[in-house]
Amino acid sequence: MTHYVQVTAATPAARTQAIKLYGPEGFAGMRKAGRLSAEILDALVPLVVPGASTAELDDFVRERIVAAGAIPANIGYSGYAHATCISVNHVVCHGIPGDKKLKAGDILNIDLTSIIDGWYGDTSRMYLVGDVSVKARRLVDVTYECLMLGIEQAKPGNHLGDIGHAIQRHAEKHRMGVVRDFVGHGVGLVYHDTPDVFHYGEPGTGPELRPGMIFTIEPMINAGRADTKVLDDGWTAVTRDRSLSAQFEHSIGITDTGCEIFTRSPAGLDRPPYSG
């Protein structure tokens, strides 16, 4: 049985089995944190070019978060040392920034989270480096469509399974694989909170969506099979068949009539190709 708890000043900032329901203060906090994260993803657009290293992009993100008086959530999380995860081509998620230089034709996901006054603005976005293949562009387009179709199902009275089903149906219609090994999650005052948000499923299953719920939707879609494996570094997840992978992520909150997207791009740069 699903348990829900209304968040108050006395609610522990820790993951429990209960789904937290936030009030207006929570939504205000998430707007602020989500906007900063989205603005930084916007600012990355002109920097994602052939010859740029993923470490340079990570340094830029860390400096921008700190300059805004916020905290990069990823630094120190389970021993992780970077502000971002940057996942290139066949890397599904949790790619570690380093000396690797981008080249024309690459696609990459940049995932970051800013903490402002305890609120976690968690988001990620895809970028195209120069001219990319038709297959790569199609994968990125379908993945973004999956995210937004999932978000369309995020409204009171629906269930988490409705979100996952919408994503799975669209991806598989295009003969692409939906990653099962990584999921979205509750967010707010806790980075990775209850509930887990699966990107596949059956309509009408899973916890009911209620006003005040805050969580991420972050489908990872592979051009080939859904199977992944984690490399020896303990972080980097890749496609087993070496096919390309793409991901988009928004943090959202369920309202009385639908949902609010906290991490939408202020500049309208929610999906490539970008002109910023």
Side-chain angles (χ1 to χ4, degrees):
M1 182 176 179
T2 303
H3 296 282
Y4 300 82
V5 59
Q6 191 71 44
V7 173
T8 68
T11 304
R15 183 179 176 118
T16 67
Q17 295 303 309
I19 295 175
K20 296 179 178 66
L21 302 178
Y22 291 92
E25 180 183 357
F27 276 61
M30 287 299 295
R31 285 186 202 109
K32 190 173 180 180
R35 183 180 178 89
L36 174 61
S37 293
E39 287 174 344
I40 294 171
L41 289 181
D42 288 349
L44 283 165
V45 168
L47 306 182
V48 180
V49 295
S53 74
T54 54
E56 290 167 345
L57 299 177
D58 182 72
D59 287 342
F60 175 84
V61 170
R62 174 178 46 78
E63 291 166 3
R64 286 291 293 263
I65 292 175
V66 172
I71 299 169
N74 291 330
I75 295 178
Y77 181 81
S78 294
Y80 194 72
H82 305 277
T84 63
C85 294
I86 302 181
S87 303
V88 183
N89 293 332
H90 72 290
V91 178
V92 176
C93 61
H94 303 159
I96 301 173
D99 295 333
K100 178 182 176 65
K101 293 189 181 298
L102 301 176
K103 62 183 186 303
D106 285 341
I107 64 172
L108 64 150
N109 176 272
I110 302 179
D111 188 331
L112 65 92
T113 303
S114 305
I115 309 173
I116 298 180
D117 299 328
W119 299 98
Y120 288 79
D122 190 1
T123 186
S124 79
R125 202 179 297 173
M126 291 299 296
Y127 297 81
L128 312 180
V129 185
D131 292 327
V132 306
S133 69
V134 172
K135 183 176 183 179
R137 186 181 294 271
R138 179 169 170 266
L139 170 65
V140 171
D141 286 343
V142 169
T143 304
Y144 181 78
E145 291 162 4
C146 283
L147 170 67
M148 299 312 293
L149 287 168
I151 288 175
E152 285 181 8
Q153 296 299 315
K155 52 190 175 183
N158 273 7
H159 294 255
L160 283 177
D162 296 304
I163 295 173
H165 179 72
I167 291 168
Q168 180 182 6
R169 181 176 56 187
H170 190 67
E172 293 181 351
K173 180 178 74 174
H174 291 276
R175 299 185 178 181
M176 296 178 183
V178 180
V179 171
R180 266 72 166 171
D181 299 328
F182 302 94
V183 299
H185 51 85
V187 73
L189 289 171
V190 180
Y191 195 0
H192 296 106
D193 206 353
T194 307
D196 291 333
V197 180
F198 297 95
H199 303 116
Y200 59 94
E202 295 297 326
T205 63
E208 179 184 353
L209 302 181
R210 297 185 181 181
M213 289 175 65
I214 296 177
F215 54 88
T216 71
I217 304 176
E218 47 185 295
M220 286 148 271
I221 308 298
N222 297 344
R225 297 177 61 85
D227 306 289
T228 72
K229 65 178 180 180
V230 177
L231 301 184
D232 290 342
D233 60 28
W235 287 101
T236 308
V238 300
T239 56
R240 283 191 175 272
D241 61 6
R242 302 283 295 185
S243 64
L244 294 174
S245 187
Q247 178 188 17
F248 286 89
E249 175 185 11
H250 274 315
S251 292
I252 69 167
I254 302 298
T255 67
D256 290 335
T257 57
C259 74
E260 178 176 350
I261 302 174
F262 300 120
T263 48
R264 192 184 293 277
S265 165
L269 304 175
D270 286 299
R271 65 185 295 183
Y274 304 121
S275 59

